[in-house]
Amino acid sequence: MSPFFIKVFGDNGIVFSNGHTWKQQRRFSLMTLRNLGLGKRSLEMRILEEAQHLVKCFAVQEGKPTDPYMSVVNSVSNVICAVVFGHRFSMDDKLFLRLINVMSMMINFRGTAWGRIYDVFSPLMPLLPGPHKKVFGCWEEVHSFVREEIKVHRERRVAGDPPEDLIDYYQDEIAKTKDDATSVFNENNLRTVVLEFFLASIETTSTSLLWGLLYMVEYPDVQEKVQKELDAVLEPSEIICYEDRKRLPYTNAVIHEVQRYASIVPGGVGRQSLKDTSFQGFFIPKGAIIFGNLTSALYDPEHWETPRQFNPSHFLDEEGKFVNKEAFMPFSAGHRVCLGEQLARTELFIFFTSLLRAFTFHLPRNEEKKISSDYVLGTTVHPLPYQICAVPRWTSEHHGKGC
Ligand code: HEM
């Protein structure tokens, strides 16, 4: 496990905790996500609202080249803000932009040379100057932001009011378990869970979408087929919902192929064995760090016809029906499988379809070269910054509410 993340999270929250703390925080968070509308129409409507904001961000560019990074990150961040804080932020709210910048800095720091140096020489690092000091300073700033949100929630809440977001639910749980000496529900864990939701969701979901847009410009025939299917199945003014993926097998296959081909978390999250273990004839000593090689499954030639090609047919049968594959595991597998899988899948589907219903994407004229193979390895594998043109497909009268 990364000493950098140990320093940041300690044994709190979900991602890096174990045993009783992990079990309780994970169970509670999953239940809360469901209570907040995961798998139901209510949360989908929040995602749709953000997708519509994103469409507007692209629309104002009127087809001119733009770097989609900030707009995509802002929209994805606002979905998690709705879940955690119960409200969204305006795209030019300075505090919100600062929060996002610090989150990106945290995520990207680990992929930098200093991030790696930190992980190797962690006991010495507090004594040395360097960018890690700035990163930890910023982390403290984010904690203060969350502390303030928790305080505002506490003051605003009228006794007996139903909980509206993760912070409300969590504070109720703290109150319910206050006399239980074994309870792991406290403000420290609440802050960590909130920040983990941000860190685990923003970078992963936005990176997947950014790869998706890039593949669409690189494979315009795929983009056209998706748009044809969307136009044939949905009325122009029809509001899309996650359930519609069943009527859109090609589009669904493309989104799965984006996740397979991009393999954005190639090694999963590093885990540590708690005791000496034998696994398939291998001895794993206590304390060994283990990375699940997710790319080996996502690119396994025994499971994929053309593993090194972007090929949506990997998820289609001869009749063009969608088929799931057991080797498709971008969210990992087992007890530690991504807690936000269902939320992420819903977001990817609604954002991706909303964008492709509204625009045709292409590269700026002078940049029509193969660029999708260039990437940056941070905590996730993300594309190099790029410019894209979003050309509106419909006039405003034609353009439906579902974007
Ligand atoms: C496309 C988007 C996403 C991808 C590809 C992704 C991928 C992953 C992967 C590979 C893991 C590591 C699992 C392991 O250790 O074996 C993970 C863990 C986790 N993810 Fe995601 N994730 C995504 C979105 C989200 C979202 C939206 C959330 C928001 C709640 C989230 C929350 C978490 C949490 C809390 C864990 C830790 C689970 C645990 O340790 O029990 N993720 N994710």
Side-chain angles (χ1 to χ4, degrees):
M1 207 158 83
S2 152
F4 171 69
F5 281 131
I6 292 176
K7 162 95 176 150
V8 170
F9 292 115
D11 207 11
N12 302 311
I14 308 167
V15 187
F16 298 105
S17 68
N18 283 304
H20 183 62
T21 303
W22 167 74
K23 217 179 242 173
Q24 295 293 315
Q25 306 294 323
R26 183 170 169 116
R27 182 196 52 79
F28 175 79
S29 300
L30 279 169
M31 195 177 69
T32 304
L33 278 175
R34 276 194 292 274
N35 289 339
L36 289 169
L38 185 65
K40 297 184 212 130
R41 203 71 186 114
S42 50
L43 191 54
E44 275 186 43
M45 290 312 285
R46 301 300 290 256
I47 299 172
L48 250 174
E49 195 188 324
E50 289 314 322
Q52 285 167 359
H53 278 285
L54 184 57
V55 166
K56 279 189 198 136
C57 284
F58 279 114
V60 294
Q61 302 299 329
E62 297 176 332
K64 290 195 228 43
T66 178
D67 181 340
Y69 178 81
M70 267 326 279
S71 322
V72 169
V73 167
N74 285 357
S75 301
V76 168
S77 307
N78 258 327
V79 171
I80 214 72
C81 282
V83 169
V84 169
F85 301 139
H87 61 85
R88 69 184 304 278
F89 288 86
S90 134
M91 296 293 181
D92 37 35
D93 184 313
K94 287 205 173 68
L95 202 59
F96 177 57
L97 293 178
R98 175 78 189 143
L99 178 71
I100 292 174
N101 273 334
V102 171
M103 292 288 175
S104 300
M105 191 206 284
M106 294 296 294
I107 288 281
N108 291 326
F109 177 73
R110 257 210 79 218
T112 64
W114 266 101
R116 301 211 169 105
I117 291 171
Y118 188 95
D119 276 354
V120 176
F121 300 106
S122 56
L124 292 176
M125 295 310 276
L127 309 172
L128 300 176
H132 57 290
K133 299 262 174 178
K134 188 173 165 211
V135 170
F136 292 129
C138 290
W139 191 236
E140 201 29 61
E141 191 185 327
V142 179
H143 264 277
S144 313
F145 176 84
V146 178
R147 245 183 236 119
E148 186 56 30
E149 275 284 345
I150 294 171
K151 187 168 148 247
V152 170
H153 272 68
R154 203 179 293 130
E155 288 166 0
R156 185 201 60 190
R157 187 99 179 272
V158 177
D161 271 3
E164 285 178 5
D165 51 44
L166 182 110
I167 293 184
D168 282 349
Y169 274 101
Y170 205 105
Q171 299 215 86
D172 284 357
E173 196 63 20
I174 295 177
K176 243 191 264 166
T177 56
K178 70 177 186 322
D179 297 325
D180 175 357
T182 63
S183 170
V184 289
F185 294 96
N186 51 52
E187 194 172 316
N188 201 6
N189 267 323
L190 166 55
R191 276 203 311 279
T192 309
V193 169
V194 166
L195 291 169
E196 282 180 337
F197 266 41
F198 275 92
L199 282 177
S201 70
I202 299 173
E203 172 79 5
T204 48
T205 313
S206 56
T207 299
S208 306
L209 276 169
L210 290 166
W211 279 120
L213 293 181
L214 204 48
Y215 297 148
M216 290 309 97
V217 299
E218 195 161 320
Y219 304 98
D221 51 322
V222 174
Q223 173 168 209
E224 203 184 317
K225 263 181 107 172
V226 170
Q227 286 170 328
K228 274 202 178 132
E229 186 181 62
L230 290 167
D231 295 349
V233 172
L234 301 163
E235 293 296 325
S237 62
E238 197 174 336
I239 294 177
I240 198 153
C241 62
Y242 187 48
E243 190 66 12
D244 288 329
R245 72 195 184 284
K246 296 180 184 154
R247 300 195 283 154
L248 297 160
Y250 187 76
T251 306
N252 197 14
V254 169
I255 296 170
H256 279 71
E257 182 64 357
V258 167
Q259 285 203 274
R260 183 199 72 80
Y261 193 60
S263 183
I264 64 160
V265 197
V269 171
R271 301 286 177 202
Q272 195 165 22
S273 70
L274 293 174
K275 53 181 191 281
D276 286 352
T277 310
S278 277
F279 180 68
Q280 296 191 349
F282 291 95
F283 174 67
I284 303 170
K286 179 179 170 181
I289 310 281
I290 299 148
F291 287 92
N293 185 349
L294 300 184
T295 305
S296 70
L298 296 172
Y299 276 66
D300 187 340
E302 289 195 7
H303 289 268
W304 312 100
E305 220 171 283
T306 55
R308 301 207 164 268
Q309 277 171 29
F310 182 78
N311 175 7
S313 305
H314 286 139
F315 294 94
L316 294 168
D317 66 13
E318 294 85 48
E319 292 165 27
K321 290 201 190 103
F322 178 81
V323 270
N324 213 345
K325 296 281 179 71
E326 60 169 349
F328 178 74
M329 45 176 77
F331 298 100
S332 192
H335 292 308
R336 288 283 188 162
V337 67
C338 173
L339 178 142
E341 175 170 352
Q342 199 186 343
L343 176 60
R345 282 173 178 265
T346 313
E347 284 188 67
L348 290 180
F349 182 77
I350 290 180
F351 277 113
F352 187 77
T353 52
S354 297
L355 288 174
L356 286 201
R357 284 177 89 187
F359 306 104
T360 296
F361 291 91
H362 64 77
L363 288 174
R365 291 284 166 229
N366 54 352
E367 283 186 29
E368 283 171 349
K369 57 180 174 138
K370 201 170 162 67
I371 56 168
S372 74
S373 48
D374 297 334
Y375 62 86
V376 182
L377 179 60
T379 300
T380 63
V381 172
H382 53 98
L384 290 179
Y386 64 86
Q387 299 263 315
I388 201 168
C389 303
V391 179
R393 299 183 63 219
W394 310 107
T395 57
S396 49
E397 315 86 77
H398 220 116
H399 182 37
K401 282 187 203 143
C403 311

